[in-house]
Amino acid sequence: MSLNLTYQKIRDEIGKVIYGLDDVVEFTLAALFSSGHVLLEGPPGTAKTLLVRTIAATLDLDFRRIQMTPDLLPNDVTGSSIYREDTREFEFRRGPVFTNFLLADEINRSSARTQSALLEAMQELHVTYDGVSHSLPEPFMTFATQNPIEQEGTYPLPLAQLDRFMFKIMVSYPPTSQEKRVLTEHHATGGRSDPVKMNVQRILKPDDILAARATIRGTQIREEVVGYVCQLLQATREDDLLSVGASPRAGLMLLMAAKSLACFDGRDYVTPDDIQKALQPVMRHRIVLSPTAELEGISSDDVLANIMEVVEVPR
């Protein structure tokens, strides 16, 4: 089955539960097939956790959820050693991070120390404890959610941690027509919708995901498109409204995201439109606004939209 058909099939399954979040679903699946991680930001009750549970329901993979609270310790995420009386040795007990599909719910409610426990796992795909590295299952993917409204008792993610996420996806309220469908279809569940009970089928196995990732890595990118990405990166570093521009890693993530979007559209090559479509989700959490921009109420998305207008698009 082609990646385009696989993508459509997954979307059909997710569509049994999630309505009105088409762009959000597209980018979360783009991250899944690009070996990326996703930060979902939006107000409570907008189906962020349900979205992740529904995607997990379509995959024949292990799935675990961690409620990130202020009292959570790093060992609660990665695991710890216990002493066994029978062997008189310490044994490493693996934590919930040892899974294929990890949901870190309300990640900004955990301390910086606990947040950092995910850094090595997300970047290196292993956990080091007592000087010994323990490999994570493959594929491994982290979804994290956070609420941008209620900031009391939260710990903002440092830029180094934000940079580990391929996308920062903004989840907003659905259109009125789709919201009516949500109320109609889900009111009988009491707000506790179960994707499995709503007939979401498991349609992908780990080998299928790894094969899809290999296909995406082989997607062609013209030299002109790579040059276009370089110009976009440079523009973020020269913009007076930004105090920190995009890094080379941001450019690599942008190219990988564009490859996924191209494959979803049934193409084996990337166009400038793919780059533009992925720019804001890839870059919005990797750039830092200047004090002037913050005072004027200018958002990261506003700056990125202006950069897309200014930088010449290759033909």
Side-chain angles (χ1 to χ4, degrees):
M1 186 185 299
S2 70
L3 184 53
N4 173 257
L5 293 176
T6 300
Y7 166 69
Q8 293 298 334
K9 192 172 182 180
I10 296 175
R11 289 205 63 154
D12 290 343
E13 293 299 315
I14 295 173
K16 295 177 180 178
V17 181
I18 303 296
Y19 321 126
L21 298 177
D22 293 345
D23 288 345
V24 176
V25 171
E26 184 174 22
F27 283 115
T28 54
L29 293 180
L32 170 65
F33 290 121
S34 299
S35 307
H37 308 285
V38 171
L39 177 62
L40 296 166
E41 181 173 294
T46 50
K48 297 185 296 297
T49 301
L50 180 59
L51 169 65
V52 180
R53 289 176 54 217
T54 304
I55 296 175
T58 68
L59 309 175
D60 188 19
L61 300 173
D62 290 332
F63 166 70
R64 294 189 184 182
R65 175 181 175 273
I66 306 174
Q67 185 63 46
M68 306 293 280
T69 56
D71 60 346
L72 197 72
L73 298 175
N75 289 352
D76 296 327
V77 176
T78 60
S80 60
S81 290
I82 63 167
Y83 183 74
R84 294 187 54 178
E85 287 287 349
D86 55 343
T87 62
R88 297 192 176 185
E89 293 180 346
F90 283 94
E91 179 182 283
F92 180 69
R93 288 291 179 89
R94 299 185 172 195
V97 75
F98 287 88
T99 186
N100 297 115
F101 209 83
L102 179 70
L103 170 60
D105 212 358
E106 294 188 287
I107 190 172
N108 56 334
R109 292 207 171 276
S110 62
S111 67
R113 184 182 177 191
T114 302
Q115 289 176 17
S116 67
L118 288 172
L119 280 173
E120 182 183 18
M122 294 171 66
Q123 184 63 28
E124 308 296 338
L125 300 183
H126 63 238
V127 168
T128 302
Y129 189 89
D130 273 346
V132 179
S133 292
H134 304 271
S135 297
L136 296 173
E138 195 173 359
F140 171 76
M141 182 177 181
T142 299
F143 276 96
T145 69
Q146 64 179 14
N147 171 11
I149 299 174
E150 189 178 22
Q151 297 299 318
E152 184 177 354
T154 62
Y155 302 83
L157 274 66
L159 194 60
Q161 175 120 24
L162 288 171
D163 196 46
R164 297 304 194 276
F165 290 97
M166 184 175 198
F167 296 128
K168 180 180 180 182
I169 303 175
M170 312 306 293
V171 184
S172 58
Y173 299 113
T176 303
S177 59
Q178 295 297 329
E179 188 167 17
K180 183 177 180 181
R181 186 183 174 193
V182 170
L183 300 178
T184 301
E185 298 289 340
H186 291 272
H187 70 84
T189 69
R192 298 181 179 179
S193 303
D194 185 342
V196 176
K197 291 182 179 179
M198 299 185 75
N199 297 319
V200 173
Q201 303 295 316
R202 292 183 181 271
I203 58 176
L204 278 189
K205 296 183 180 296
D207 288 345
D208 299 325
I209 297 174
L210 296 178
R213 289 178 174 181
T215 298
I216 288 173
R217 286 195 296 270
T219 302
Q220 300 177 20
I221 303 180
R222 290 185 295 121
E223 185 177 346
E224 293 84 356
V225 175
V226 175
Y228 179 50
V229 171
C230 288
Q231 291 178 31
L232 291 169
L233 294 175
Q234 193 62 35
T236 66
R237 299 163 191 163
E238 296 174 352
D239 199 304
D240 293 336
L241 295 175
L242 298 177
S243 58
V244 177
S247 67
R249 177 188 286 164
L252 289 172
M253 293 296 101
L254 181 56
L255 289 172
M256 286 299 299
K259 285 183 175 184
S260 291
L261 297 177
C263 289
F264 291 170
D265 200 37
R267 290 179 280 107
D268 63 354
Y269 58 92
V270 171
T271 68
D273 288 341
D274 298 321
I275 299 294
Q276 292 184 341
K277 186 174 183 178
L279 183 69
Q280 289 173 327
V282 169
M283 297 287 189
R284 59 167 58 109
H285 56 298
R286 291 185 161 94
I287 58 177
V288 178
L289 293 171
S290 67
T292 301
E294 291 183 347
L295 286 174
E296 295 179 359
I298 298 173
S299 70
S300 298
D301 283 1
D302 293 334
V303 176
L304 292 170
N306 183 64
I307 286 174
M308 281 190 285
E309 290 290 332
V310 172
V311 176
E312 185 179 356
V313 180
R315 300 298 178 188

